[in-house]
Amino acid sequence: MPNDLTMVTELATALGTFPYAGPKEALAARPSALALDEATWGRLDALRRDGRFAAAFAVAFENGRTFLEADEGLRRRFPQLVEWTGGRRPPGDEVAPIDLRIDHVYLVSCKYLSHNISNPSPARLFEGLLATAGDWERRDWYEASAPAEYQALYAACRVASGLSGLPTRAVEMDNEDRRALRQALPGRRYPPSAEAAYRDLCRAVSERSAARWRERLAEADRERVLWRLLRIGNAPYFLLGTSGEHRLALRIDTPWDWRRRFTLRALEVTPAEAGQPQVNWTARYLDRLAGAEGTVDGHVEIRWSHGKFTQPPEAKVYLDTPAHLLPGYHELAAPRPQPSLFG
């Protein structure tokens, strides 16, 4: 079940596509075309009355209204069916996280206040290049890419924790050991005696991850990798949400559309020093329609997502270039007057 804010932003976006003045009126009407059960309707109404998410309701509802009125969207035709994924992952391969499907045709991704576009395993990114299936490293990425530095960090943390009974080697920890070590090392910082070991781990993981990524990119279709980084898939979809102070209402190209207009010049990756293992990436492209060069910048943070040593690290992929400036992302234009048979 998604958290409260996610539920509000996604379903308020859906409500904005119906003929109601605002979220309050839409929730009172409970349009049957929005396929929700009674428990979900009740929870959503309670969240609106609570008042904590008033701003989120308003912004998301306005995004839905924009999609309703856009010529590239619903063209002022109220939907007959809106389906909500409710945080469930699709059974098939999907490049973008689709949150709403409208009239069996329009796919909508709701993205509010986040530049994080995916959280794959580091090996799936650096070795598998974000493919949905393949053969890549399955071990903990810290262990696989920097075994000596990882063991040194573990050894320093093991001593600092004061715990007895932990194994000597990091690779021998079981789930109970990991939970105990995490609880003994609260907060984000490492014990002073382990800080140097953590810096060494960050440097080694950043450099070796970047090197492995460059090695795989040298023999790969870089254009296809960029499409995966930009969440460009075979089916067109819409991105509705916010990014900082900018409200997003975007149509996303397919690879076929992208290739008709853009040419990829380079996809470069470099290790970074950022207080944690990190790899920066930059794509350089030509916009043939505009006759101009452009760049897309992003970075990958390689870190534990649930606390130190708890689970293998994830590769958190971020876009640093604002979404509305990305190649293949098109802002929904204001609706044009429609021709009339009369008058």
Side-chain angles (χ1 to χ4, degrees), residues 1-342:
M1 177 64 70
N3 64 39
D4 289 345
L5 180 59
T6 297
M7 182 179 186
V8 165
T9 53
E10 293 176 2
L11 289 179
T13 300
L15 290 173
T17 64
F18 292 98
Y20 303 106
K24 179 180 179 180
E25 293 78 7
L27 278 166
R30 293 194 178 187
S32 60
L34 178 53
L36 300 179
D37 57 33
E38 283 300 314
T40 302
W41 278 118
R43 181 183 170 201
L44 186 62
D45 193 39
L47 291 171
R48 186 201 63 78
R49 287 186 280 103
D50 178 85
R52 289 178 298 145
F53 300 105
F57 264 108
V59 171
F61 188 88
E62 186 60 29
N63 276 336
R65 184 54 42 90
T66 297
F67 184 68
L68 168 65
E69 295 177 352
D71 288 340
E72 294 176 294
L74 290 173
R75 299 182 183 177
R76 298 163 293 285
R77 298 170 299 182
F78 301 122
Q80 296 182 358
L81 178 65
V82 179
E83 299 166 285
W84 179 51
T85 64
R88 294 180 294 273
R89 298 185 65 182
D93 296 336
E94 192 170 85
V95 172
I98 300 303
D99 302 303
L100 304 171
R101 186 174 70 170
I102 300 177
D103 291 341
H104 301 291
V105 174
Y106 299 98
L107 305 178
V108 177
S109 178
C110 301
K111 194 71 171 176
Y112 287 84
L113 302 177
S114 174
H115 298 285
N116 175 218
I117 59 173
S118 62
N119 301 304
S121 71
R124 182 179 162 227
L125 172 61
F126 301 131
E127 295 185 345
L129 305 180
L130 290 178
T132 55
D135 184 20
W136 48 75
E137 178 64 64
R138 303 293 175 178
R139 290 178 296 165
D140 182 304
W141 188 250
Y142 288 169
E143 175 196 341
S145 62
E149 291 82 0
Y150 178 45
Q151 174 60 31
L153 175 63
Y154 170 72
C157 289
R158 176 174 173 266
V159 171
S161 73
L163 295 173
S164 60
L166 290 178
T168 304
R169 300 177 63 236
V171 296
E172 295 172 351
M173 282 191 294
D174 59 23
N175 290 338
E176 185 176 341
D177 294 329
R178 291 177 178 276
R179 283 193 296 269
L181 185 55
R182 176 194 174 187
Q183 292 170 0
L185 302 171
R188 301 186 63 180
R189 299 186 64 86
Y190 285 83
S193 58
E195 287 180 350
Y198 182 62
R199 287 194 297 271
D200 290 343
L201 176 74
C202 291
R203 186 179 305 108
V205 172
S206 299
E207 291 175 353
R208 294 167 195 171
S209 297
R212 183 56 178 147
W213 202 4
R214 281 195 297 266
E215 179 184 332
R216 290 289 292 114
L217 285 171
E219 57 191 34
D221 181 347
R222 295 191 177 201
E223 186 181 48
R224 188 176 299 275
V225 176
L226 178 61
W227 293 338
R228 293 170 182 162
L229 288 168
L230 295 182
R231 310 305 290 265
I232 288 177
N234 290 331
Y237 68 97
F238 298 85
L239 178 62
L240 304 177
T242 58
S243 177
E245 298 298 318
H246 193 88
R247 193 161 61 85
L248 302 177
L250 305 167
R251 175 179 56 81
I252 314 304
D253 277 346
T254 66
W256 183 74
D257 299 314
W258 200 93
R259 186 173 282 175
R260 292 176 66 195
R261 175 168 175 173
F262 303 103
T263 300
L264 178 62
R265 298 294 202 200
L267 181 55
E268 303 161 348
V269 298
T270 55
E273 294 187 13
Q276 64 188 351
Q278 181 170 312
V279 177
N280 295 342
W281 59 272
T282 297
R284 306 184 190 283
Y285 65 90
L286 170 67
D287 182 341
R288 297 193 303 276
L289 181 62
E293 301 274 351
T295 61
V296 177
D297 294 309
H299 70 278
V300 182
E301 298 175 0
I302 309 152
R303 56 186 171 92
W304 287 302
S305 60
H306 297 90
K308 307 178 190 72
F309 298 99
T310 306
Q311 294 179 3
E314 293 179 323
K316 294 186 174 293
V317 184
Y318 291 87
L319 279 169
D320 299 325
T321 298
H324 64 288
L325 299 180
L326 295 172
Y329 283 49
H330 307 281
E331 293 196 83
L332 298 184
R336 299 184 299 270
Q338 296 296 304
S340 174
L341 295 176
F342 309 98

